[in-house]
Amino acid sequence: MNTARMIHTLVLAGAALWLSAGCRAPGPRAAARHCPGGSCHGVPTETAAPEGEAVLTAPASETERRYLGLPAGKASFRLADVQAEVLVVDIFDLYCHVCQKTAPTMNRLHALIQTRAQSERIRMIGIGAGDTPLETETFRKKYRIPFPAFSDRAKAVTRQLGPDQRPALVVLKRQGDRLEVVYAHTGSIDDVEATLGEILAAAGK
Amino acid sequence: MNKRFLPAALGLALALVADGPARAQSWTNNIYDPGRLKPVDSRLRVRVGDKAPDFTLRAVRGGEVSLKAFRGRKNVVISFVPAAWTPVCSAQWPGYNLAKEYFDANDAVLLGITVDNLPTLHAWTREMGPLWFDVLSDFHPHGRVAQAYGVLRRDGTSERALVVIDKKGIIRYVDVHDINERPPLEALVGELRKLPR
């Protein structure tokens, strides 16, 4: 076999593997040097909300507001304000091509969850990590995302949920007036039914 | 190549493609990370109101693309990005790939340009999925177009810059953005909407 061709093939295979893993921030050591606050997108950290005050803009749609059990008239909400026993969060980014490929799978997961939404009080939302409102809306429209999706430009809410990586699926379970992370998966999802099983098991359903 | 080394080479190839996520993690950590860069490291040579410097560059899809071909026909947005295979999380083009409606609504085309060579751009952009816009190589002479616009950095990469050009070939907007950050889509769409039809 031609050596140059083999090397070329190995490099392409490795690059393909790396890209299929999703969008990652560099590791902790590199993050301290390269991405203040762990943000690869360089979102100005001076605008990040202080701990405990991370909020999202309340949905304009009455249907979405009722789905999440949020009171009318409030401009923003914390995740803990969502009236749910279990909250499934799809963390995406308009600029992340693996998130784009994963979006239809997240929609299928939502469809499966919907059959249990009322009885089990499970709700699902999307968060555009590092995305502006228009960027979030562009992603939502493109993939006809059926669940509410919110811009988190400063990643204040995203940072509370776990590692700085997209796409990510994070599941929270209610503990009194708080929500706690019980499950997290980063990268694409191969088997939606199996993932739903894992989510429900982690949430004690 | 000596045939004795063939099994070892194949074994290495198999090791690389197996155990995907862990191996991908290893590759992620091995991708070159330039660290936090100086936000801007060039001197802009164009401004709003100037005639946009013309160019002809080779396209990843084959053939060449000339800026003057759009005169009288289309508004043009040039997206310079620093380099292929830099941390993908900072890549703008996968996002612009979903934003075609904003360009169509304002009779605009998008040209993506880097200083990388064609094979590099080919491999990198293929991973983003089919792109609706042309990707052009400003590799040889190295960075000549980036230099003409004044967005070539001292290390030979280009700035993260957007240039909006109207149908008369006049520059209407330039954003040489902090290379470590991503310009908001709202700003670009706002400028597109200001363009005359």
Side-chain angles (χ1 to χ4, degrees):
Chain A
M1 185 189 290
N2 180 288
T3 306
R5 190 176 298 170
M6 182 183 299
I7 291 171
H8 181 226
T9 305
L10 290 177
V11 167
L12 285 179
L17 268 174
W18 171 68
L19 283 164
S20 70
C23 282
R24 293 175 198 265
R29 188 161 42 88
R33 167 168 67 88
H34 169 55
C35 302
S39 163
C40 250
H41 296 276
V43 173
T45 52
E46 64 269 19
T47 65
E51 276 300 334
E53 293 184 18
V55 294
L56 301 170
T57 302
S61 148
E62 168 78 8
T63 309
E64 290 185 354
R65 194 182 53 71
R66 270 199 261 111
Y67 170 70
L68 298 176
L70 298 172
K74 293 198 79 176
S76 62
F77 71 101
R78 300 167 307 141
L79 290 187
D81 295 333
V82 174
Q83 298 303 305
E85 280 297 310
V86 177
L87 183 62
V88 178
V89 184
D90 164 24
I91 303 175
F92 62 80
D93 175 3
L94 170 70
Y95 297 93
C96 161
H97 73 286
V98 178
C99 303
Q100 295 176 9
K101 290 175 179 161
T102 306
T105 311
M106 294 293 189
N107 288 354
R108 277 201 295 281
L109 180 65
H110 172 261
L112 292 178
I113 286 172
Q114 277 299 87
T115 60
R116 310 173 71 122
Q118 281 309 110
S119 57
E120 309 275 12
R121 293 192 70 210
I122 302 176
R123 299 291 185 265
M124 184 166 178
I125 65 168
I127 292 183
D131 285 341
T132 64
L134 180 63
E135 289 161 358
T136 303
E137 178 60 16
T138 300
F139 190 92
R140 192 196 65 77
K141 268 195 327 193
K142 167 69 180 180
Y143 295 107
R144 298 197 180 95
I145 294 178
F147 44 88
F150 303 95
S151 154
D152 187 20
R153 174 76 162 148
K155 295 200 281 188
V157 173
T158 308
R159 261 198 288 274
Q160 293 185 331
L161 295 177
D164 186 13
Q165 184 173 349
R166 273 83 63 198
L169 185 68
V170 177
V171 180
L172 303 106
K173 184 182 164 109
R174 181 156 297 282
Q175 302 288 350
D177 61 358
R178 292 179 299 115
L179 289 173
E180 290 190 352
V181 175
V182 294
Y183 176 89
H185 172 93
T186 52
S188 52
I189 289 176
D190 294 324
D191 186 332
V192 180
E193 281 80 8
T195 299
L196 177 65
E198 289 165 15
I199 288 173
L200 293 172
K205 295 284 180 187
Chain B
M1 182 185 179
N2 191 311
K3 281 188 187 157
R4 283 182 301 145
F5 294 110
L6 190 58
L10 287 173
L12 175 62
L14 268 174
L16 283 169
V17 301
D19 191 18
R23 197 60 57 191
Q25 173 75 45
S26 151
W27 276 100
T28 300
N29 290 337
N30 288 338
I31 292 295
Y32 183 71
D33 175 8
R36 188 153 185 98
L37 299 167
K38 194 163 175 239
V40 174
D41 189 31
S42 59
R43 193 172 301 169
L44 194 58
R45 300 176 77 176
V46 297
R47 57 185 170 188
V48 171
D50 285 355
K51 189 158 165 300
D54 194 24
F55 56 80
T56 299
L57 291 176
R58 295 172 71 192
V60 169
R61 64 166 161 82
E64 293 180 330
V65 172
S66 294
L67 179 62
K68 64 175 182 286
F70 298 102
R71 197 148 325 143
R73 298 195 309 115
K74 291 285 184 189
N75 298 304
V76 177
V77 178
I78 302 176
S79 169
F80 289 98
V81 295
W85 303 122
T86 49
V88 176
C89 294
S90 294
Q92 293 161 254
W93 293 351
Y96 295 156
N97 204 26
L98 300 194
K100 183 172 186 289
E101 62 172 289
Y102 305 120
F103 291 82
D104 289 345
N106 297 287
D107 214 14
V109 299
L110 174 62
L111 302 176
I113 301 181
T114 85
V115 297
D116 299 289
N117 68 0
L118 279 176
T120 302
L121 285 172
H122 170 83
W124 187 50
T125 57
R126 266 177 73 97
E127 287 301 323
M128 298 179 193
L131 295 177
W132 62 268
F133 53 93
D134 264 321
V135 171
L136 311 180
S137 168
D138 190 21
F139 175 70
H140 181 66
H142 188 84
R144 180 163 65 179
V145 176
Q147 180 80 297
Y149 282 77
V151 296
L152 188 68
R153 295 171 67 101
R154 284 178 296 171
D155 68 353
T157 63
S158 80
E159 300 289 1
R160 188 181 302 284
L162 287 166
V163 183
V164 176
I165 303 162
D166 66 19
K167 293 180 186 178
K168 294 186 171 141
I170 302 299
I171 293 174
R172 292 297 193 117
Y173 175 74
V174 183
D175 173 23
V176 180
H177 212 76
D178 179 337
I179 197 172
N180 304 288
E181 301 190 8
R182 215 166 53 191
L185 186 61
E186 280 86 340
L188 177 59
V189 173
E191 293 302 323
L192 284 173
R193 288 181 175 149
K194 289 182 199 168
L195 290 168
R197 297 304 162 100

